[in-house]
Amino acid sequence: MEAEVIIIGAGISGLVAARELTSAGHRVLVLEARDVPGGRIREVCKPGFTKTVQAGAEFIHGELDDSFDLLRSAGIGWATFSGEIWQKKKGKLSRQEEFIEGGEALVKALAELKEDKPVALFLEQHFPGAQFSMLREEVTRFVEGYDAADTRRASSFALREEFIGEDDEQYYPAAGYFPLVRYLTDACSRAGGRFMYGHPVKEVAWERGRVRVRTAAGEYEAQRVLVTVPLGVLLAREGAPAAIRFSPGLPEIRNMAADLGYGGVIKYNLQFKERFWEYAVPGSDLSALSFLLSDAPVPTWWTYPEDTVPILTGWLAGPAAAAKTGQPEELLLTLALDSLSQIFGLPQEKLRTLLTGWDVADWLQDPYSLGAYSYATVGAADIRSRLSAPVSDTIWFCGEALAASGVGGTVDAAIISGKAAARGLLHILG
């Protein structure tokens, strides 16, 4: 056999599992559809940029031990994302004082909630009428923008965890996440793990204790297979570049995956000749700006106040991203510049003269992601548990969508899930 375990996907979850298995002495083959590892971690350095930017995962959302422990083992440092949060709403730019207007009433209602329900239904039942219109609007904007979620499906219990239990502090790996990808691939290779890139998997034929994995380039055999692809790939229609056929079929896996939430993101990185936002609005000193939230078409922007490189990162997520996905990049760029024009009161033509480089990552159009990251739906915990259970001790699934704990939809969740899958495999392999 080619290996004891074939891992499909060289994102963080697959790489963490591969490191655990190879360090225990097991033969592992990693098949990756892309030409490089990393999955939804992607570095970009294009003409017009003076530094590498992150088109995918970028932050560490809180005091997350699994992330910090792995970064420490790789010798990779991190920093606190600090600075001021500003908002532009109804034409007024100001420092953000309250995260959500009426936030205390929201937290109280969430704390008293006895039964989970979709966020849209929770808001309709607990905050009806015109007096709560702003609260409903801001909560909806948060769930759609931060969680990339549909409020008609997103879990109110998950929203409660975010508002009540989450650490507000944000961190980031000092040089981005890709050094961690290199560390994990190097560690696996040194321990005998093999990587094959440009190998999108087409079929997994299996029986108990034996799998045959077919790619466009050939077939590979192993005792077990670990599938680490994103939810969008598990749900890909037959004939799509990323679609994987299981033989015998696993319709229950697809049905469970469909019951979890998976959102889209269009992420912008724009470099300018200067940090124009610091002086663009008379009477407003934005030299310490970190996050800027607005009601513009591309509503969320951030920059690193301590960084002298004039880069703004834009974020369009959830249903709003789904409505714009697939448009030509030039139109998506125009949408971003129109948004910045609305926020800072500068003509779009002026912004174009200042622009030196730009990148648009439309993750819904990425053939091997078909979206950005998962979000919790009602009943998600039970679905994750069932999806993480092995099929006949032969097929395992893991990834950020399946983590039993940690912050869902994050690199930390991918690390947790990869470790858990490796432990399950090690128990079977001995």
Side-chain angles (χ1 to χ4, degrees):
M1 288 190 177
E2 293 285 338
E4 292 173 87
V5 179
I6 290 175
I7 296 178
I8 301 175
I12 284 291
S13 198
L15 293 177
V16 166
R19 188 188 70 153
E20 297 289 320
L21 293 169
T22 55
S23 65
H26 294 287
R27 290 179 294 116
V28 173
L29 171 64
V30 182
L31 300 174
E32 168 55 46
R34 306 176 196 271
D35 294 331
V36 295
R40 285 166 283 175
I41 291 171
R42 182 189 300 168
E43 285 190 333
V44 172
C45 190
K46 295 168 67 173
F49 286 94
T50 56
K51 65 179 287 186
T52 298
V53 294
Q54 311 303 314
E58 186 168 351
F59 292 109
I60 306 166
H61 300 283
E63 297 280 352
L64 305 178
D65 291 340
D66 290 272
S67 291
F68 290 151
D69 288 347
L70 188 55
L71 289 170
R72 286 189 193 96
S73 68
I76 297 171
W78 62 87
T80 301
F81 187 72
S82 58
E84 298 174 353
I85 300 176
W86 286 70
Q87 60 184 3
K88 179 71 176 286
K89 294 180 181 178
K90 295 180 171 52
K92 181 181 178 182
L93 181 68
S94 62
R95 285 278 302 275
Q96 181 169 288
E97 301 297 336
E98 188 176 14
F99 186 63
I100 284 181
E101 187 175 311
E104 289 185 6
L106 174 67
V107 168
K108 184 176 185 293
L110 286 170
E112 294 173 351
L113 196 61
K114 303 300 182 185
E115 181 180 346
D116 200 6
K117 60 187 66 177
V119 169
L121 181 59
F122 163 77
L123 292 174
E124 177 186 320
Q125 292 178 340
H126 291 264
F127 297 98
Q131 70 269 34
F132 293 116
S133 61
M134 181 61 72
L135 183 145
R136 293 195 304 272
E137 179 183 328
E138 291 189 350
V139 172
T140 299
R141 186 181 295 124
F142 172 83
V143 172
E144 293 182 348
Y146 184 77
D147 296 322
D150 183 341
T151 58
R152 297 169 299 179
R153 300 188 65 211
S155 161
S156 293
F157 279 1
L159 180 66
R160 178 169 65 189
E161 290 178 13
E162 288 180 317
F163 273 80
I164 297 176
E166 186 176 86
D167 183 357
D168 291 335
E169 203 74 78
Q170 304 288 309
Y171 306 89
Y172 60 96
Y177 270 113
F178 209 78
L180 183 60
V181 172
R182 287 193 291 266
Y183 164 77
L184 290 169
T185 53
D186 289 348
C188 294
S189 297
R190 286 195 302 270
R194 296 169 55 208
F195 291 85
M196 303 193 76
Y197 300 108
H199 277 61
V201 170
K202 302 301 181 183
E203 182 181 23
V204 175
W206 66 279
E207 58 186 65
R208 190 178 184 91
R210 185 181 182 90
V211 296
R212 186 176 70 253
V213 179
R214 181 175 64 85
T215 75
E219 294 186 354
Y220 307 91
E221 293 188 354
Q223 298 171 20
R224 311 286 191 279
V225 63
L226 173 59
V227 182
T228 77
V229 298
L231 279 183
V233 175
L234 285 181
L235 295 171
R237 295 178 180 177
E238 188 172 350
I244 300 173
R245 179 174 180 266
F246 291 91
S247 180
L250 298 173
E252 66 279 10
I253 296 297
R254 182 182 178 86
N255 291 339
M256 286 189 287
D259 286 337
L260 292 174
Y262 190 60
V265 166
I266 299 174
K267 185 176 181 181
Y268 296 87
N269 279 288
L270 310 181
Q271 180 160 340
F272 297 90
K273 294 177 182 177
E274 57 192 35
R275 296 172 68 89
F276 68 86
W277 53 91
E278 295 187 359
Y279 60 79
V281 182
S284 298
D285 178 9
L286 273 69
S287 58
L289 173 69
S290 58
F291 272 105
L292 195 155
L293 311 174
S294 76
D295 47 16
V298 179
T300 304
W301 295 86
W302 65 84
T303 188
Y304 293 82
E306 71 278 5
D307 192 348
T308 58
V309 180
I311 291 176
L312 283 173
T313 300
W315 186 262
L316 181 65
K324 298 296 182 182
T325 185
Q327 294 189 9
E329 285 194 347
E330 177 60 39
L331 284 181
L332 292 175
L333 173 63
T334 298
L335 185 71
L337 293 176
D338 278 343
S339 299
L340 292 176
S341 177
Q342 291 180 35
I343 293 167
F344 294 108
L346 295 175
Q348 186 188 141
E349 295 74 17
K350 171 65 174 177
L351 293 171
R352 283 188 179 272
T353 65
L354 294 172
L355 188 67
T356 65
W358 58 278
D359 179 73
V360 179
D362 184 349
W363 283 97
L364 282 160
Q365 295 300 307
D366 184 287
Y368 301 118
S369 293
L370 299 173
Y373 52 84
S374 66
Y375 63 87
T377 53
V378 176
D382 179 61
I383 298 168
R384 288 167 177 162
S385 176
R386 290 158 55 202
L387 262 175
S388 299
V391 178
S392 298
D393 285 339
T394 302
I395 304 176
W396 270 258
F397 293 88
C398 76
E400 54 84 9
L402 305 186
S405 61
V407 181
T410 64
V411 172
D412 193 70
I415 294 168
I416 290 169
S417 183
K419 283 183 178 179
R423 285 194 297 269
L425 280 158
L426 288 170
H427 179 72
I428 297 297
L429 295 169

